[in-house]
Amino acid sequence: MSKPVLILGAGSDIARALGHELAAAGHDLYLAGRHPEELEKDARDLQLRYSINARGMFFDALDFDSHQTFYESLEPGPYGLVLAFGLLGEEDQARKTRKHWEKIIHTNYTGCISILTIAANHLEQAGEGFILGISSVAGDRGRKANYVYGSAKAGLSTFLSGLRNRLHSKGVRVITVKPGFVRTRMTRDMDLPARLTASPEQAARDIFKAIIKQKEIVYTRWMWRWIMLVIKCIPERVFKRMSI
Amino acid sequence: MLLSNWNNYPRIEAKLEDLRTEGQALQMLEMNRYCIPRGLGRSYGDCSMNRFVISTPKFCRFISMDSNRGILECEAGASLEHILRVIIPRGWFLPVTPGTSHVTLGGAIASDVHGKNHHLHGAFGSHVLDLRLLTPRGDILNCSRDKDHDIFEAVCGGMGLLGLILSARIRLVPLESVFIRQKTLPAKDLDELMGFFQEYQAGTYSVAWMDCLQKGKKLGRGLFMLGEHCRAGEAPHAELLPPATGGARLPFTPPCRALTNPGIKAFNSLYYTLNSRRKGRSVTDLKSFFYPLDGLRDWNQLYGPQGFLQYQFVLPRCSSGAGLQKILQHIHSFGLHPYLAVLKLLGPGQGPLSFPMPGYTLALDFPIRAGLFSLLNTLDRVVLNLGGRIYLAKDARMQKDMLWQGYPRIKEFLNLKKRLDPENKLSSLQSRRLGICQNPY
Ligand SMILES: Cc1cc2nc3c(=O)[nH]c(=O)nc-3n(C[C@H](O)[C@H](O)[C@H](O)COP(=O)(O)OP(=O)(O)OC[C@H]3O[C@@H](n4cnc5c(N)ncnc54)[C@H](O)[C@@H]3O)c2cc1C
Ligand SMILES: NC(=O)c1ccc[n+]([C@@H]2O[C@H](COP(=O)([O-])OP(=O)(O)OC[C@H]3O[C@@H](n4cnc5c(N)ncnc54)[C@H](OP(=O)(O)O)[C@@H]3O)[C@@H](O)[C@H]2O)c1
């Protein structure tokens, strides 16, 4: 296999589009997620189109106990890892039921720490490769609309930053992706402003560019970097009254 | 969202749901009372439009490819462009292709599209080996010429009304190079143009561009274009398809029509003169030969926000000459000029709603403006009286009788519709306008 990349949450719209970019560049792929039969079809498709090797496999971010065995079953071990799974959840439900906020936190944060810790140790040993995590602009500042999700993403961004600091000298790159709005299954019932919204393909191109161009933190679409810069500058005493 | 097809007319408020997996398809059919599949919306009109739309372009995986025998199987949302990217480097080509590669496999089958080689090789459906159809009742049928052949035939050209095509296996044709030997012959009038189609019937690809602004003796003057694949030895060099590029995109939607009558007139004359001087042979690549407009994205916006119509009809061969004359004269008397006119000789057709029949087909692009609809109603009468018909994939306005008289096998189709979809779950604006489905919107 040539520089295989493991995609976790490979059925996500952004991940599927990224799969095409990576396969077109010649990477072999492990496509992992909760619907291995569909991922197997995706794998077959990518093999046919790009003459690479690809495999679909089962992975559940919430089943922490399985992560070690899962990762070690990959032969050859991945050169790169893309963490794409996530759960937006519903804020009002998160206010009412513990089960729901736990699921949001465990999917977007704890599950990530669990699998990334294992992967980081292996890549550190290998002395090369990359880890790419899809976080969110929602992690840059807490808003009433999705602060449980946002706080988990903030945790993920911080974790990735620390990991980058740790692995930099070991030849392993860590990339944090912060999408703004992307038109995917996650946002399908939302009315998104067209100018600020990326298609999954656009987001995937931005993410792929970040991988080749050795970037650390990327926003997609690009203007979100500046939008979030402004939003982060608003003093809390003003921000608390706002509805954005 | 506001939805329209390629010609931006009509435009309706609709909900599009992306199809990704087979399982979802079943759910969507169960959940929604009335819906219609839609591919890349490259038809001109309302055939793939409804309040609820099953959008297929994300359901586009390659399932298998036999590179020795040239057999390809894909999910229905795969675009011909993506298919070409995979098959050309392996030495295969599509047996039939429309004038744009931005259509889906499902859309190509559902409209039973034709190409420049129809007179020899038939329409797209003729090259489908089998297909998997999800019926509105939730059954998955694997149909072919041997199994459920009546359904198979009717699905090809069936405009998405009998079921959702999930996937299909098609037979490809071998390709030795990416080059086409092209021959362009100027014709001074309609007779000469039709004469060329007669004379070059054995040629693989033929089509003619007509300068519709000419009257009197020059009526129907145009350029006849003939193409043959270059064999490996004849190709100028042996490289395969040039890398696919995104194409220049029009930077914005012009607030009004960017194409104007005097502009079009000047363009037509110039195009004719330049090409008649350059007549003769040349070598070109597949993309420029088959998809000249695909390089310019969103060219449909040039017609402005009110959109345009394409009027495509076919006349039986015996009445084609007189019929075409008559139609061109009507157009002149209305003073509404088509911006583009393409003539082609077709061979026999297949399915009950499939468009082709032996004879000449003319496709005319008109910007929408006052008087157009009454001109087209007049043309309808001519077409109907001469035993011709209109292409459903290019229709946004015709009345019931055009379907019922133009497509003599409509009863056969309706019987199948009753059998497979008694509740008319699959219905489009077009199918209701034409009386195929009576249910409310
Ligand atoms: C520039 C240009 C050139 C063209 N040249 C030609 C030509 O040379 N010859 C020709 O024949 N046509 C031509 N066309 C028309 C075009 O090929 C057809 O309209 C084609 O059907 C469009 O495919 P689509 O995927 O965009 O489908 P849509 O336009 O979205 O849908 C077309 C029909 O197919 C049905 N459909 C789509 N997917 C499915 C599915 N999975 N299952 C069941 N039904 C489905 C829809 O319900 C609808 O009735 C041209 C169009 C353009 C824009
Ligand atoms: N879309 C946006 O606007 C946006 C904005 C900012 C950040 N993001 C982030 O981008 C990433 C990709 O999301 P998307 O927009 O492409 O949405 P998506 O299509 O809904 O993808 C989310 C994916 O996460 C998977 N997943 C959820 N829980 C899982 C679990 N326990 N184990 C394994 N996989 C699990 C889902 O798998 P199933 O297929 O099994 O459900 C799904 O494939 C997410 O991390 C998201 O937070 C998205």
Side-chain angles (χ1 to χ4, degrees), chain B residues 157-177:
Chain B
M159 307 310 288
L161 296 169
L162 297 179
L164 178 76
I165 302 165
L166 293 171
S167 62
R169 275 195 325 139
I170 58 173
R171 187 184 290 288
L172 306 170
V173 293
L175 182 74
E176 289 187 27
S177 85

Side-chain angles (χ1 to χ4, degrees), chain B residues 5-7 19 36-49 53-54 56-57 59 75-80 96-116 123 132-133 155 157-167 207 290-291 293-294 299-300 308 310 312 340 342 355-356 365 391-394 426 428 430:
Chain B
N5 281 337
W6 188 243
N7 62 326
L19 179 67
I36 192 75
R38 181 173 191 267
L40 283 163
R42 277 339 193 258
S43 42
Y44 295 67
D46 51 2
C47 62
S48 53
M49 291 171 63
V53 168
I54 300 179
T56 66
F59 181 60
E75 289 175 343
S79 75
L80 298 189
V96 166
T97 173
T100 170
S101 61
H102 301 151
V103 305
T104 63
L105 179 60
I109 297 172
S111 297
D112 199 18
V113 300
H114 54 270
K116 298 176 181 177
R132 293 176 61 251
L133 185 77
V155 166
M159 307 310 288
L161 296 169
L162 297 179
L164 178 76
I165 302 165
L166 293 171
S167 62
V207 69
F290 289 105
Y291 314 116
L293 290 173
D294 282 3
W299 61 261
N300 56 336
F308 61 110
Q310 184 170 100
Q312 183 172 4
L340 187 72
V342 175
F355 169 66
D365 281 10
Y391 191 5
L392 295 176
K394 309 282 177 75
L426 290 174
S428 55
Q430 181 181 51

Side-chain angles (χ1 to χ4, degrees), chain B residues 94-402:
Chain B
L94 291 167
V96 166
T97 173
T100 170
S101 61
H102 301 151
V103 305
T104 63
L105 179 60
I109 297 172
S111 297
D112 199 18
V113 300
H114 54 270
K116 298 176 181 177
N117 57 348
H118 188 270
H119 59 292
L120 290 185
H121 301 141
F124 200 90
S126 316
H127 307 271
V128 176
L129 295 171
D130 46 42
L131 56 83
R132 293 176 61 251
L133 185 77
L134 175 65
T135 70
R137 292 177 148 175
D139 304 316
I140 295 182
L141 305 179
N142 204 332
C143 32
S144 65
R145 274 173 204 84
D146 301 325
K147 204 170 153 279
D148 286 324
H149 73 98
D150 51 341
I151 299 179
F152 177 82
E153 255 200 10
V155 166
C156 299
M159 307 310 288
L161 296 169
L162 297 179
L164 178 76
I165 302 165
L166 293 171
S167 62
R169 275 195 325 139
I170 58 173
R171 187 184 290 288
L172 306 170
V173 293
L175 182 74
E176 289 187 27
S177 85
V178 292
F179 295 98
I180 295 281
R181 256 185 298 122
Q182 188 179 329
K183 193 163 154 179
T184 307
L185 302 167
K188 61 179 189 314
D189 59 18
L190 187 61
D191 275 351
E192 194 174 1
L193 203 53
M194 291 172 67
F196 285 143
F197 277 106
Q198 289 274 18
E199 189 180 339
Y200 291 101
Q201 272 188 78
T204 310
Y205 300 108
S206 59
V207 69
W209 165 85
M210 204 194 265
D211 176 358
C212 277
L213 298 166
Q214 301 301 321
K215 296 183 195 166
K217 274 172 111 181
K218 289 185 188 166
L219 185 80
R221 84 166 181 185
L223 297 167
F224 176 79
M225 288 167 241
L226 198 63
E228 296 293 338
H229 287 286
C230 285
R231 310 290 305 265
E234 306 166 317
H237 39 98
E239 92 191 37
L240 291 170
L241 243 208
T245 49
R249 193 182 256 280
L250 288 175
F252 60 96
T253 307
C256 58
R257 240 191 323 267
L259 298 173
T260 58
N261 244 348
I264 283 296
K265 189 152 191 169
F267 170 79
N268 273 275
S269 288
L270 190 68
Y271 190 75
Y272 180 82
T273 318
L274 282 179
N275 279 285
S276 355
R277 285 208 204 112
R278 263 213 314 249
K279 80 174 174 194
R281 296 154 193 286
S282 59
V283 171
T284 176
D285 62 273
L286 294 173
K287 205 169 168 180
S288 331
F289 184 76
F290 289 105
Y291 314 116
L293 290 173
D294 282 3
L296 187 67
R297 277 159 68 177
D298 303 341
W299 61 261
N300 56 336
Q301 304 293 348
L302 288 174
Y303 282 93
Q306 68 278 57
F308 61 110
L309 292 181
Q310 184 170 100
Y311 188 76
Q312 183 172 4
F313 61 89
V314 56
L315 297 176
R317 208 160 166 169
C318 55
S319 56
S320 285
L324 287 167
Q325 296 265 5
K326 213 178 210 164
I327 282 185
L328 292 176
Q329 279 155 5
H330 274 301
I331 292 174
H332 284 301
S333 67
F334 272 77
L336 292 168
H337 299 292
Y339 286 180
L340 187 72
V342 175
L343 184 70
K344 160 90 201 126
L345 179 61
L346 296 178
Q350 283 215 317
L353 285 198
S354 189
F355 169 66
M357 63 158 95
Y360 285 86
T361 177
L362 184 63
L364 304 161
D365 281 10
F366 291 97
I368 293 182
R369 56 172 66 157
L372 179 61
F373 287 81
S374 65
L375 164 65
L376 299 184
N377 288 338
T378 310
L379 301 188
D380 281 352
R381 294 303 114 203
V382 180
V383 171
L384 210 56
N385 289 336
L386 294 173
R389 61 184 173 220
I390 289 182
Y391 191 5
L392 295 176
K394 309 282 177 75
D395 160 54
R397 32 82 34 205
M398 74 183 190
Q399 296 305 311
K400 267 185 202 173
D401 58 335
M402 290 304 288

